[in-house]
Amino acid sequence: CSQSDCSYGQDPSPNVILDGEGNLYGTTLVVGRTQYCVGCGLVFRLSASGTETIIRNFCSEYKCRDGISSRTGVILDDEGTLYGTTSYPGNVFKLASDGKYSVLGNFHCRHDSCGSETDGDLVAGSNFDTLYGVSFFGGSDNKGVVFLVSTSHRK
């Protein structure tokens, strides 16, 4: 971003994906000029011609149920639906091709098996029925968990 305008995000995840039409999709950790702001990040599309489109701005409230920021990339199913995670407090989200955003899993605790602050890209099971990922916190000794989220209700 430039010194005067970071509305298109900064600190992008290094993991971008390419669709069949040559569009790149990714996420950013920050929107705005403050590097560690609360309530930052977005999902973007960069067309083959170089046009950037913001698909979704993440919530701007601390511990927002919809999630804040993303350190990870997104994955894309054959219907054009994006799936990814938010960093704080930690969610798995679905972003349909029509722009509808929904949370498939919340990770709001730092104990037991639920996990918190998702990290690492998601991995899809067969036909995108299940998504697998990891979190920083939760589990034994609060050192993180491996989780799975069903997407069976996605259609």
Side-chain angles (χ1 to χ4, degrees):
C1 68
S2 71
Q3 291 296 327
S4 61
D5 180 23
C6 293
S7 61
Y8 282 95
Q10 62 180 346
D11 295 338
S13 165
N15 302 328
V16 293
I17 58 168
L18 184 65
D19 70 9
E21 297 175 9
N23 298 305
L24 286 173
Y25 294 86
T27 62
T28 69
L29 184 63
V30 177
V31 174
R33 296 181 64 201
T34 306
Q35 185 175 3
Y36 297 105
C37 63
V38 175
C40 307
L42 54 83
V43 179
F44 67 88
R45 176 181 56 240
L46 184 61
S47 72
S49 65
T51 302
E52 184 175 7
T53 303
I54 297 172
I55 300 172
R56 171 77 180 185
N57 279 303
F58 291 116
C59 190
S60 62
E61 299 173 19
Y62 182 66
K63 292 192 177 180
C64 176
R65 185 163 175 80
D66 284 347
I68 300 170
S69 282
S70 182
R71 281 189 270 252
T72 65
V74 290
I75 57 176
L76 179 69
D77 71 9
D78 57 357
E79 297 173 2
T81 300
L82 295 166
Y83 297 89
T85 63
T86 60
S87 301
Y88 305 105
N91 292 330
V92 177
F93 67 84
K94 170 185 172 183
L95 186 54
S97 58
D98 64 3
K100 183 179 178 190
Y101 180 87
S102 54
V103 175
L104 299 176
N106 297 98
F107 304 96
H108 290 283
C109 62
R110 292 178 176 244
H111 59 78
D112 301 326
S113 61
C114 65
S116 179
E117 297 185 25
T118 52
D119 190 41
D121 291 334
L122 292 172
V123 175
S126 64
N127 299 318
F128 275 81
D129 291 336
T130 307
L131 302 173
Y132 301 88
V134 297
S135 71
F136 275 137
F137 301 107
S140 177
D141 297 322
N142 200 29
K143 297 193 187 288
V145 297
V146 176
F147 62 83
L148 66 91
V149 174
S150 172
T151 62
S152 60
H153 61 283
R154 72 184 183 105
K155 293 186 178 183

